[in-house]
Amino acid sequence: MKVLVLTGSPHASGTTAALADAFCEGAKSAGHHVERFDTGRMKIGPCLGCMSCRKEGGSCVRHDDMEKILPALVEADAVVFVTPIYYFGMTAQLKAVIDRFFAVNGQLRESNKKAYMISVCGDAEDWVMDGLRIHFTNICRYLHWEECGRLLAEGFYDADGIKATDWPEKAKALGASL
Ligand SMILES: Cc1cc2nc3c(=O)[nH]c(=O)nc-3n(C[C@H](O)[C@H](O)[C@H](O)COP(=O)(O)O)c2cc1C
């Protein structure tokens, strides 16, 4: 299976990177082809809403790192979103990537992809991720993708904290279970 992992944190060694690393390790150990883009450190501008991509033969007017992601996205059998919680939702970096899906909406809605969400938030209250839960569900519903798994870890501000728990093991197991 072709697995596309899209992370959205600006931190190369943060909490969500720790879970993404473990997930990728698990998926590779199960024989899957994993392609990962750390979008929080890529050059990806927001959708301009210009609708150029909707014109006959049209495509996105922005020429940035999204051009590396879109072909892999269209080809992927499974898409894994990985994001820390920023103000009760995904990061702006990952949201910008998802908004740019608009340029290939038609192809995405016609492909049967599996979708996964991995997220970490600093606070421990169980309502902090409510917005992300419904957002992820609605993205999958709209794209006709199958929502296959969520790993939502609450109460971690730094990587050392989460690495001392079984969350990386859970992420690895999820990757291996695809
Ligand atoms: C701008 C910003 C907004 C944040 N908003 C929230 C929030 O709404 N709720 C929460 O529990 N944690 C919040 N956090 C904490 C992060 O979710 C937490 O530190 C997470 O582990 C960071 O993941 P990373 O190390 O992969 O970047 C926020 C952090 C930042 C920098």
mmCIF file of all heavy atoms in Angstrom, residues 8-18 83-89 91 119-125 128 153 155-159 162, ligand 1:
data_model
loop_
_atom_site.group_PDB
_atom_site.id
_atom_site.type_symbol
_atom_site.label_atom_id
_atom_site.label_comp_id
_atom_site.label_asym_id
_atom_site.label_seq_id
_atom_site.Cartn_x
_atom_site.Cartn_y
_atom_site.Cartn_z
ATOM 1 N N GLY A 8 2.221 18.358 10.383
ATOM 2 C CA GLY A 8 1.943 19.795 10.339
ATOM 3 C C GLY A 8 2.598 20.623 11.420
ATOM 4 O O GLY A 8 2.270 21.798 11.585
ATOM 5 N N SER A 9 3.525 20.036 12.176
ATOM 6 C CA SER A 9 4.195 20.811 13.219
ATOM 7 C C SER A 9 5.433 21.495 12.666
ATOM 8 O O SER A 9 6.111 20.931 11.805
ATOM 9 C CB SER A 9 4.623 19.894 14.378
ATOM 10 O OG SER A 9 5.430 20.626 15.296
ATOM 11 N N PRO A 10 5.757 22.682 13.184
ATOM 12 C CA PRO A 10 7.031 23.293 12.788
ATOM 13 C C PRO A 10 8.227 22.641 13.471
ATOM 14 O O PRO A 10 9.374 22.889 13.092
ATOM 15 C CB PRO A 10 6.880 24.752 13.246
ATOM 16 C CG PRO A 10 5.854 24.721 14.329
ATOM 17 C CD PRO A 10 4.944 23.567 14.033
ATOM 18 N N HIS A 11 7.980 21.787 14.478
ATOM 19 C CA HIS A 11 9.079 21.186 15.252
ATOM 20 C C HIS A 11 9.544 19.861 14.647
ATOM 21 O O HIS A 11 8.746 18.931 14.518
ATOM 22 C CB HIS A 11 8.636 20.934 16.698
ATOM 23 C CG HIS A 11 8.240 22.175 17.415
ATOM 24 N ND1 HIS A 11 7.074 22.278 18.144
ATOM 25 C CD2 HIS A 11 8.847 23.385 17.482
ATOM 26 C CE1 HIS A 11 6.986 23.494 18.644
ATOM 27 N NE2 HIS A 11 8.045 24.182 18.256
ATOM 28 N N ALA A 12 10.841 19.781 14.343
ATOM 29 C CA ALA A 12 11.395 18.552 13.765
ATOM 30 C C ALA A 12 11.464 17.431 14.795
ATOM 31 O O ALA A 12 11.411 16.253 14.436
ATOM 32 C CB ALA A 12 12.778 18.825 13.195
ATOM 33 N N SER A 13 11.588 17.776 16.056
ATOM 34 C CA SER A 13 11.754 16.745 17.097
ATOM 35 C C SER A 13 10.720 16.888 18.206
ATOM 36 O O SER A 13 11.036 16.676 19.378
ATOM 37 C CB SER A 13 13.162 16.823 17.691
ATOM 38 O OG SER A 13 14.121 16.786 16.688
ATOM 39 N N GLY A 14 9.522 17.249 17.851
ATOM 40 C CA GLY A 14 8.477 17.460 18.850
ATOM 41 C C GLY A 14 7.681 16.210 19.169
ATOM 42 O O GLY A 14 8.053 15.094 18.768
ATOM 43 N N THR A 15 6.562 16.417 19.841
ATOM 44 C CA THR A 15 5.716 15.296 20.271
ATOM 45 C C THR A 15 5.102 14.568 19.079
ATOM 46 O O THR A 15 5.085 13.338 19.026
ATOM 47 C CB THR A 15 4.581 15.784 21.185
ATOM 48 O OG1 THR A 15 3.772 16.721 20.470
ATOM 49 C CG2 THR A 15 5.116 16.448 22.446
ATOM 50 N N THR A 16 4.592 15.344 18.120
ATOM 51 C CA THR A 16 3.929 14.703 16.979
ATOM 52 C C THR A 16 4.953 14.036 16.058
ATOM 53 O O THR A 16 4.655 13.003 15.445
ATOM 54 C CB THR A 16 3.059 15.700 16.185
ATOM 55 O OG1 THR A 16 3.849 16.850 15.834
ATOM 56 C CG2 THR A 16 1.849 16.134 16.995
ATOM 57 N N ALA A 17 6.164 14.607 15.983
ATOM 58 C CA ALA A 17 7.222 13.961 15.185
ATOM 59 C C ALA A 17 7.558 12.600 15.783
ATOM 60 O O ALA A 17 7.803 11.637 15.039
ATOM 61 C CB ALA A 17 8.461 14.843 15.121
ATOM 62 N N ALA A 18 7.550 12.511 17.112
ATOM 63 C CA ALA A 18 7.850 11.224 17.764
ATOM 64 C C ALA A 18 6.814 10.176 17.356
ATOM 65 O O ALA A 18 7.165 9.020 17.066
ATOM 66 C CB ALA A 18 7.875 11.393 19.286
ATOM 67 N N THR A 83 -0.739 16.158 13.456
ATOM 68 C CA THR A 83 -0.684 17.575 13.826
ATOM 69 C C THR A 83 -0.758 17.781 15.327
ATOM 70 O O THR A 83 -1.499 17.072 16.017
ATOM 71 C CB THR A 83 -1.845 18.355 13.156
ATOM 72 O OG1 THR A 83 -1.755 19.748 13.509
ATOM 73 C CG2 THR A 83 -3.212 17.833 13.583
ATOM 74 N N PRO A 84 -0.015 18.759 15.847
ATOM 75 C CA PRO A 84 -0.293 19.174 17.214
ATOM 76 C C PRO A 84 -1.574 20.012 17.218
ATOM 77 O O PRO A 84 -2.001 20.502 16.161
ATOM 78 C CB PRO A 84 0.921 20.047 17.583
ATOM 79 C CG PRO A 84 1.505 20.506 16.295
ATOM 80 C CD PRO A 84 1.105 19.504 15.243
ATOM 81 N N ILE A 85 -2.173 20.164 18.368
ATOM 82 C CA ILE A 85 -3.326 21.060 18.475
ATOM 83 C C ILE A 85 -2.827 22.483 18.682
ATOM 84 O O ILE A 85 -2.027 22.759 19.571
ATOM 85 C CB ILE A 85 -4.229 20.644 19.671
ATOM 86 C CG1 ILE A 85 -4.900 19.300 19.400
ATOM 87 C CG2 ILE A 85 -5.276 21.730 19.952
ATOM 88 C CD1 ILE A 85 -5.925 19.284 18.289
ATOM 89 N N TYR A 86 -3.265 23.379 17.823
ATOM 90 C CA TYR A 86 -3.034 24.815 17.971
ATOM 91 C C TYR A 86 -4.413 25.468 18.042
ATOM 92 O O TYR A 86 -5.183 25.405 17.085
ATOM 93 C CB TYR A 86 -2.273 25.373 16.757
ATOM 94 C CG TYR A 86 -0.751 25.220 16.793
ATOM 95 C CD1 TYR A 86 -0.112 24.361 17.686
ATOM 96 C CD2 TYR A 86 0.052 25.944 15.918
ATOM 97 C CE1 TYR A 86 1.268 24.246 17.713
ATOM 98 C CE2 TYR A 86 1.436 25.832 15.928
ATOM 99 C CZ TYR A 86 2.042 24.975 16.825
ATOM 100 O OH TYR A 86 3.415 24.859 16.830
ATOM 101 N N TYR A 87 -4.709 26.050 19.180
ATOM 102 C CA TYR A 87 -6.026 26.687 19.378
ATOM 103 C C TYR A 87 -7.179 25.793 18.950
ATOM 104 O O TYR A 87 -8.028 26.144 18.161
ATOM 105 C CB TYR A 87 -6.085 28.071 18.711
ATOM 106 C CG TYR A 87 -5.636 29.145 19.668
ATOM 107 C CD1 TYR A 87 -4.299 29.468 19.792
ATOM 108 C CD2 TYR A 87 -6.546 29.793 20.506
ATOM 109 C CE1 TYR A 87 -3.862 30.407 20.705
ATOM 110 C CE2 TYR A 87 -6.112 30.729 21.427
ATOM 111 C CZ TYR A 87 -4.772 31.035 21.526
ATOM 112 O OH TYR A 87 -4.337 31.957 22.447
ATOM 113 N N PHE A 88 -7.162 24.578 19.505
ATOM 114 C CA PHE A 88 -8.288 23.630 19.404
ATOM 115 C C PHE A 88 -8.532 23.066 18.011
ATOM 116 O O PHE A 88 -9.607 22.576 17.710
ATOM 117 C CB PHE A 88 -9.569 24.259 19.997
ATOM 118 C CG PHE A 88 -9.305 24.768 21.373
ATOM 119 C CD1 PHE A 88 -9.050 26.105 21.598
ATOM 120 C CD2 PHE A 88 -9.239 23.886 22.443
ATOM 121 C CE1 PHE A 88 -8.730 26.569 22.872
ATOM 122 C CE2 PHE A 88 -8.916 24.326 23.706
ATOM 123 C CZ PHE A 88 -8.661 25.671 23.925
ATOM 124 N N GLY A 89 -7.499 23.118 17.177
ATOM 125 C CA GLY A 89 -7.623 22.501 15.859
ATOM 126 C C GLY A 89 -6.249 22.127 15.328
ATOM 127 O O GLY A 89 -5.256 22.178 16.058
ATOM 128 N N THR A 91 -2.838 22.594 12.956
ATOM 129 C CA THR A 91 -2.020 23.792 12.732
ATOM 130 C C THR A 91 -2.407 24.462 11.403
ATOM 131 O O THR A 91 -2.922 23.813 10.480
ATOM 132 C CB THR A 91 -0.511 23.452 12.661
ATOM 133 O OG1 THR A 91 -0.287 22.541 11.576
ATOM 134 C CG2 THR A 91 -0.008 22.852 13.963
ATOM 135 N N SER A 119 -2.687 13.057 16.599
ATOM 136 C CA SER A 119 -2.554 14.404 17.132
ATOM 137 C C SER A 119 -2.116 14.375 18.595
ATOM 138 O O SER A 119 -2.348 13.394 19.301
ATOM 139 C CB SER A 119 -3.882 15.161 16.998
ATOM 140 O OG SER A 119 -3.733 16.501 17.424
ATOM 141 N N VAL A 120 -1.485 15.459 19.003
ATOM 142 C CA VAL A 120 -1.072 15.626 20.401
ATOM 143 C C VAL A 120 -1.441 17.039 20.833
ATOM 144 O O VAL A 120 -1.267 17.998 20.066
ATOM 145 C CB VAL A 120 0.458 15.433 20.573
ATOM 146 C CG1 VAL A 120 0.842 15.566 22.053
ATOM 147 C CG2 VAL A 120 0.918 14.095 20.014
ATOM 148 N N CYS A 121 -1.962 17.165 22.061
ATOM 149 C CA CYS A 121 -2.206 18.497 22.621
ATOM 150 C C CYS A 121 -1.540 18.594 23.991
ATOM 151 O O CYS A 121 -1.246 17.575 24.627
ATOM 152 C CB CYS A 121 -3.691 18.812 22.709
ATOM 153 S SG CYS A 121 -4.626 17.773 23.850
ATOM 154 N N GLY A 122 -1.319 19.826 24.415
ATOM 155 C CA GLY A 122 -0.624 20.040 25.683
ATOM 156 C C GLY A 122 -1.502 19.822 26.896
ATOM 157 O O GLY A 122 -1.086 19.200 27.890
ATOM 158 N N ASP A 123 -2.726 20.294 26.831
ATOM 159 C CA ASP A 123 -3.629 20.187 27.984
ATOM 160 C C ASP A 123 -4.215 18.784 28.079
ATOM 161 O O ASP A 123 -4.278 18.062 27.086
ATOM 162 C CB ASP A 123 -4.747 21.224 27.873
ATOM 163 C CG ASP A 123 -4.192 22.645 27.914
ATOM 164 O OD1 ASP A 123 -3.075 22.827 28.455
ATOM 165 O OD2 ASP A 123 -4.842 23.557 27.385
ATOM 166 N N ALA A 124 -4.689 18.459 29.268
ATOM 167 C CA ALA A 124 -5.163 17.084 29.485
ATOM 168 C C ALA A 124 -6.688 16.956 29.443
ATOM 169 O O ALA A 124 -7.204 15.853 29.559
ATOM 170 C CB ALA A 124 -4.631 16.563 30.812
ATOM 171 N N GLU A 125 -7.415 18.073 29.282
ATOM 172 C CA GLU A 125 -8.875 17.983 29.259
ATOM 173 C C GLU A 125 -9.347 17.208 28.022
ATOM 174 O O GLU A 125 -8.805 17.375 26.936
ATOM 175 C CB GLU A 125 -9.527 19.378 29.235
ATOM 176 C CG GLU A 125 -9.469 20.098 30.552
ATOM 177 C CD GLU A 125 -8.183 20.885 30.711
ATOM 178 O OE1 GLU A 125 -7.349 20.861 29.783
ATOM 179 O OE2 GLU A 125 -8.014 21.509 31.767
ATOM 180 N N VAL A 128 -10.405 19.090 24.484
ATOM 181 C CA VAL A 128 -9.489 19.921 23.695
ATOM 182 C C VAL A 128 -9.470 19.503 22.216
ATOM 183 O O VAL A 128 -9.311 20.335 21.329
ATOM 184 C CB VAL A 128 -8.062 19.878 24.294
ATOM 185 C CG1 VAL A 128 -7.074 20.630 23.416
ATOM 186 C CG2 VAL A 128 -8.070 20.471 25.702
ATOM 187 N N ALA A 153 -3.475 11.996 21.564
ATOM 188 C CA ALA A 153 -2.774 11.973 22.857
ATOM 189 C C ALA A 153 -2.903 13.326 23.548
ATOM 190 O O ALA A 153 -2.473 14.344 22.998
ATOM 191 C CB ALA A 153 -1.313 11.611 22.639
ATOM 192 N N GLY A 155 -2.211 15.953 26.803
ATOM 193 C CA GLY A 155 -1.384 16.228 27.984
ATOM 194 C C GLY A 155 0.119 16.173 27.784
ATOM 195 O O GLY A 155 0.862 15.920 28.726
ATOM 196 N N PHE A 156 0.570 16.476 26.540
ATOM 197 C CA PHE A 156 2.018 16.433 26.297
ATOM 198 C C PHE A 156 2.495 17.704 25.603
ATOM 199 O O PHE A 156 2.076 18.018 24.495
ATOM 200 C CB PHE A 156 2.389 15.214 25.442
ATOM 201 C CG PHE A 156 2.035 13.918 26.100
ATOM 202 C CD1 PHE A 156 0.883 13.241 25.712
ATOM 203 C CD2 PHE A 156 2.814 13.401 27.114
ATOM 204 C CE1 PHE A 156 0.532 12.047 26.327
ATOM 205 C CE2 PHE A 156 2.463 12.210 27.736
ATOM 206 C CZ PHE A 156 1.328 11.534 27.349
ATOM 207 N N TYR A 157 3.405 18.402 26.297
ATOM 208 C CA TYR A 157 3.978 19.616 25.704
ATOM 209 C C TYR A 157 5.346 19.367 25.080
ATOM 210 O O TYR A 157 5.811 20.156 24.278
ATOM 211 C CB TYR A 157 4.086 20.725 26.760
ATOM 212 C CG TYR A 157 2.777 21.410 27.036
ATOM 213 C CD1 TYR A 157 2.014 21.087 28.156
ATOM 214 C CD2 TYR A 157 2.291 22.397 26.173
ATOM 215 C CE1 TYR A 157 0.803 21.717 28.416
ATOM 216 C CE2 TYR A 157 1.086 23.038 26.412
ATOM 217 C CZ TYR A 157 0.347 22.691 27.531
ATOM 218 O OH TYR A 157 -0.847 23.316 27.770
ATOM 219 N N ASP A 158 6.002 18.277 25.489
ATOM 220 C CA ASP A 158 7.336 18.053 24.924
ATOM 221 C C ASP A 158 7.568 16.578 24.587
ATOM 222 O O ASP A 158 6.903 15.682 25.105
ATOM 223 C CB ASP A 158 8.441 18.580 25.846
ATOM 224 C CG ASP A 158 8.433 17.888 27.184
ATOM 225 O OD1 ASP A 158 8.765 16.701 27.223
ATOM 226 O OD2 ASP A 158 8.068 18.532 28.197
ATOM 227 N N ALA A 159 8.530 16.376 23.712
ATOM 228 C CA ALA A 159 8.768 15.032 23.172
ATOM 229 C C ALA A 159 9.236 14.053 24.242
ATOM 230 O O ALA A 159 8.849 12.878 24.212
ATOM 231 C CB ALA A 159 9.781 15.111 22.033
ATOM 232 N N ILE A 162 6.210 12.466 26.031
ATOM 233 C CA ILE A 162 5.419 11.447 25.305
ATOM 234 C C ILE A 162 6.260 10.203 25.014
ATOM 235 O O ILE A 162 5.730 9.086 24.993
ATOM 236 C CB ILE A 162 4.791 12.042 24.016
ATOM 237 C CG1 ILE A 162 3.568 11.198 23.613
ATOM 238 C CG2 ILE A 162 5.786 12.145 22.870
ATOM 239 C CD1 ILE A 162 2.618 11.880 22.673
HETATM 240 C C1 LIG B 1 0.415 28.339 18.936
HETATM 241 C C2 LIG B 1 0.117 27.167 19.844
HETATM 242 C C3 LIG B 1 -1.187 26.881 20.160
HETATM 243 C C4 LIG B 1 -1.484 25.811 20.991
HETATM 244 N N1 LIG B 1 -2.793 25.551 21.299
HETATM 245 C C5 LIG B 1 -3.078 24.528 22.132
HETATM 246 C C6 LIG B 1 -4.437 24.269 22.493
HETATM 247 O O1 LIG B 1 -5.380 24.914 22.049
HETATM 248 N N2 LIG B 1 -4.688 23.259 23.364
HETATM 249 C C7 LIG B 1 -3.662 22.494 23.899
HETATM 250 O O2 LIG B 1 -3.946 21.595 24.686
HETATM 251 N N3 LIG B 1 -2.365 22.695 23.520
HETATM 252 C C8 LIG B 1 -2.054 23.703 22.675
HETATM 253 N N4 LIG B 1 -0.747 23.922 22.311
HETATM 254 C C9 LIG B 1 0.310 22.975 22.788
HETATM 255 C C10 LIG B 1 0.683 21.947 21.718
HETATM 256 O O3 LIG B 1 -0.453 21.294 21.190
HETATM 257 C C11 LIG B 1 1.628 20.887 22.330
HETATM 258 O O4 LIG B 1 2.748 21.503 22.911
HETATM 259 C C12 LIG B 1 2.065 19.836 21.319
HETATM 260 O O5 LIG B 1 2.650 18.755 22.026
HETATM 261 C C13 LIG B 1 3.100 20.410 20.344
HETATM 262 O O6 LIG B 1 3.402 19.411 19.354
HETATM 263 P P1 LIG B 1 4.818 19.423 18.579
HETATM 264 O O7 LIG B 1 5.892 19.267 19.632
HETATM 265 O O8 LIG B 1 4.766 18.261 17.668
HETATM 266 O O9 LIG B 1 4.929 20.716 17.843
HETATM 267 C C14 LIG B 1 -0.424 24.991 21.502
HETATM 268 C C15 LIG B 1 0.909 25.300 21.151
HETATM 269 C C16 LIG B 1 1.180 26.380 20.348
HETATM 270 C C17 LIG B 1 2.621 26.698 20.002
#
